[in-house]
Amino acid sequence: LKPFLYLSEKMGILQSQITKSGIREVNIEYIGKFPDLDLKHVTVAAIKGFLSQFVQHEVNAVNAISMANQMGIKISESTSKEAGNFLNLIRLTIVSDKDTNILEGTIFGKDDARIVRINKFRLEVIPEGYLGLIHNVDRPGSIGQMGATLGRYKINIARMMVGREDDGDRNIIFLKTDTPVPPEVVKEIEDLELVISMTTFEL
């Protein structure tokens, strides 16, 4: 159970930084094989990770569900057997007043957690460390400009993951850096011609 608890909590934390306000629903789907696991604990871990970024009081496995209920957030769970290309898949959907955000995560092998979908983008993200999420136009030179900007500020890229729209002209890029990216550097990257937006967070 431990790898799924870790994955779902990280997915909750990531969702809390993508979805800003007006939370109405949290939907968790378990797709594929989860042999003999009590998935209610995995659901609680996702809610705990999500709410920990929003509330002042400590959120734990005991009070996470009740706190969500007090905030008027509807929680739903579902299961299905077909997971496509993955042995198992957790899909965490957050519905807010403004939009709907979808994350999907899986476990490779015994305990390698990966986030494999962010909304309509497919990619593979190790959910840990200092991360930057960049939306950009999919044209030659865009990644090079970002790397050069970070290099001027001595910010090292430890890992880069790219996801592409199947039917569009945009990319989503996940950067893992050795150190946080300061706000002024984020602003400079967002000012690049082919960059639409950049969000940073820590998992």
Side-chain angles (χ1 to χ4, degrees), residues 24-37:
R24 291 163 43 195
E25 298 179 26
V26 176
N27 305 314
I28 303 175
E29 300 171 73
Y30 299 102
I31 307 167
K33 297 181 179 179
F34 294 86
D36 301 323
L37 297 180

Side-chain angles (χ1 to χ4, degrees), residues 11 29 46 51 82-83 132 136 166 183 189:
M11 290 174 67
E29 300 171 73
L51 291 185
E82 181 55 52
N136 72 291
D166 292 333
I189 290 176

Side-chain angles (χ1 to χ4, degrees), residues 68-185:
N69 291 335
Q70 291 171 14
M71 296 170 66
I73 299 173
K74 178 183 177 182
I75 300 171
S76 62
E77 297 174 280
S78 63
T79 60
S80 61
K81 293 184 179 180
E82 181 55 52
N85 296 326
F86 302 99
L87 182 65
N88 51 67
L89 196 70
I90 299 175
R91 179 180 296 139
L92 178 60
T93 303
I94 305 293
V95 180
S96 74
D97 293 336
K98 294 183 178 180
D99 54 18
T100 298
N101 289 304
I102 302 172
L103 291 185
E104 291 180 352
T106 189
I107 300 295
F108 291 157
K110 291 185 177 181
D111 57 6
D112 288 335
R114 297 289 189 277
I115 293 172
V116 295
R117 176 187 174 189
I118 299 177
N119 292 324
K120 57 187 173 181
F121 296 95
R122 300 285 180 176
L123 69 171
E124 184 180 320
V125 174
I126 299 174
E128 62 181 20
Y130 301 110
L131 299 175
L133 172 62
I134 300 170
H135 287 85
N136 72 291
V137 180
D138 185 18
R139 294 179 190 168
S142 60
I143 294 177
Q145 291 176 346
M146 298 172 204
T149 301
L150 292 171
R152 288 203 309 273
Y153 290 93
K154 309 299 183 184
I155 299 172
N156 186 58
I157 299 174
R159 188 179 294 113
M160 177 183 291
M161 294 72 65
V162 179
R164 172 182 284 179
E165 280 185 332
D166 292 333
D167 55 355
D169 63 350
R170 291 173 57 189
N171 274 350
I172 186 173
I173 298 174
F174 249 100
L175 300 175
K176 180 180 180 182
T177 56
D178 291 340
T179 55
V181 180
E184 61 271 19
V185 182

Side-chain angles (χ1 to χ4, degrees), residues 6-18:
Y6 174 84
L7 172 63
S8 63
E9 183 168 359
K10 292 292 187 178
M11 290 174 67
I13 294 172
L14 179 55
Q15 273 282 25
S16 72
Q17 297 177 67
I18 295 174

Side-chain angles (χ1 to χ4, degrees), residues 49-68:
F50 182 69
L51 291 185
S52 65
Q53 309 299 304
F54 286 103
V55 300
Q56 295 180 344
H57 303 291
E58 181 182 358
V59 185
N60 54 49
V62 175
N63 65 15
I65 299 298
S66 63
M67 290 185 71

